[in-house]
Amino acid sequence: MAFNTGLSGLRAASVDLDVTGNNIANASTVGFKGSKAQFGDLYANGFLSSGSNPVGDGVTVQDIQQQFGQGNISFTDSGLDMAIDGDGFFILNNGGEVQYSRAGQFGIDKEGFVVNNQNMKVQGYTADQDGNLSGVRGDLRIETNNLAPRRTTNLQTDLNLDSRESVLENRLKFFPLKTDDFSTGEKITASYGDDSPDQFVTIDDTSTAKSIADKLSEMSGVTASATTSAAIDTTANGDLTTTSSINDLLGGNLVFEINGDPLDLTGVSDLAGLEAVIDNYEDSSISASRDGNTL
């Protein structure tokens, strides 16, 4: 009997170590709540048995109780990560089954629903188009159709190239050209190092650098970009401190156009104002910079 009593203590201690090890292993798990082993005495005699101080029969693990005390709240870089301060749970929809969780690591799936790492949808009270909350609970969804598009400005990727393929010859990497280097009817030829047939385009419009770049980009494997610049020097047309309008400053009734769109110069009286008008143009690729009396 004494041997079994000692074994019960070893079993209970082993369970306690398992619970402690599980708490340590989940120290960095978001929303994890630690547990605690609760023990109870095993009595050798019944309630009506004789003897005032019966010898016990060992120990047993009566329960593994989860601790729901408030944990630490940490900040993250995700705008959808949330934490509950106090009592409560997040309501999750797992394919029609309602589940509850304290873990607040959420993201967005391809359909716009707010989900956790197990793809369970987060639920809450839905709102109408005016933002008024209703008493109906449903899956939270973030609508992106009414958001303005934003172009990609930076892209990083890792690629594994087939080492059995031959290295292609690079005939051309970069060459700076000016608009006046081309003439109407000029034929541009592109040769390739992989035995592909040569390609060519005929320049039929040399009025702008953009028109030439668009024509070159029609060839396979060729990407062309264009930059158009113009400098305005006011030193010969007046004193910046005495002129009353931008037209007087530049010596005449001038009309500024971008892609055929006249600029509104109302109230513009100096180069700083003209610079601001150009920088605020709807095309973000067009900008102006000022250096002294030159724009």
Side-chain angles (χ1 to χ4, degrees):
M1 184 65 70
F3 180 72
N4 290 333
T5 302
L7 286 179
S8 70
L10 291 176
R11 286 193 296 267
S14 176
V15 173
D16 190 30
L17 288 176
D18 290 341
V19 173
T20 302
N22 183 66
N23 292 339
I24 296 174
N26 287 279
S28 298
T29 301
V30 176
F32 174 76
K33 297 299 180 183
S35 300
K36 182 179 180 180
Q38 294 183 339
F39 306 101
D41 187 12
L42 291 177
Y43 291 96
N45 299 323
F47 179 76
L48 298 178
S49 299
S50 61
S52 59
N53 295 310
V55 178
D57 196 23
V59 65
T60 183
V61 178
Q62 291 183 334
D63 189 21
I64 307 296
Q65 188 178 51
Q66 198 170 19
Q67 307 296 310
F68 280 92
Q70 178 66 47
N72 296 326
I73 297 178
S74 302
F75 293 95
T76 69
D77 295 331
S78 176
L80 289 177
D81 286 347
M82 293 181 285
I84 297 177
D85 186 8
D87 299 333
F89 291 90
F90 295 109
I91 303 177
L92 306 174
N93 178 13
N94 185 21
E97 179 185 2
V98 177
Q99 297 195 6
Y100 301 90
S101 175
R102 294 275 296 186
Q105 271 188 333
F106 301 128
I108 301 178
D109 64 7
K110 62 181 180 180
E111 297 178 348
F113 289 101
V114 181
V115 296
N116 67 354
N117 294 332
Q118 287 75 43
N119 207 34
M120 300 180 188
K121 298 177 181 178
V122 183
Q123 290 195 322
Y125 292 114
T126 58
D128 58 20
Q129 296 181 352
D130 297 327
N132 300 316
L133 292 177
S134 66
V136 180
R137 195 181 71 208
D139 299 335
L140 298 183
R141 187 175 187 179
I142 298 178
E143 296 289 346
T144 58
N145 296 332
N146 57 350
L147 297 180
R150 184 175 61 183
R151 64 180 180 179
T152 302
T153 58
N154 187 23
L155 177 64
Q156 294 181 350
T157 182
D158 295 328
L159 300 174
N160 290 326
L161 302 179
D162 191 346
S163 60
R164 298 168 296 181
E165 295 292 335
S166 59
V167 178
L168 299 179
E169 179 184 359
N170 289 326
R171 292 288 183 89
L172 184 63
K173 183 177 181 181
F174 172 76
F175 62 102
L177 294 173
K178 297 180 180 180
T179 304
D180 53 10
D181 291 336
F182 293 89
S183 59
T184 302
E186 182 177 355
K187 181 179 179 181
I188 306 298
T189 302
S191 299
Y192 303 89
D194 59 350
D195 296 329
S196 297
D198 293 347
Q199 294 191 14
F200 66 90
V201 295
T202 301
I203 305 300
D204 51 10
D205 183 8
T206 59
S207 60
T208 64
K210 183 178 183 302
S211 63
I212 297 176
D214 292 342
K215 199 67 177 179
L216 294 176
S217 297
E218 294 177 1
M219 293 187 290
S220 176
V222 177
T223 301
S225 60
T227 301
T228 302
S229 61
I232 302 175
D233 188 355
T234 65
T235 55
N237 296 306
D239 186 353
L240 289 175
T241 61
T242 60
T243 53
S244 59
S245 69
I246 192 66
N247 281 324
D248 293 339
L249 181 65
L250 299 177
N253 295 320
L254 302 180
V255 177
F256 286 87
E257 294 183 351
I258 297 180
N259 296 329
D261 182 20
L263 296 180
D264 183 7
L265 302 181
T266 303
V268 177
S269 60
D270 54 18
L271 286 182
L274 179 58
E275 178 187 11
V277 171
I278 296 176
D279 283 338
N280 291 329
Y281 189 71
E282 59 183 10
D283 190 341
S284 60
S285 65
I286 298 176
S287 62
S289 60
R290 182 167 45 89
D291 181 13
N293 294 337
T294 302
L295 184 66

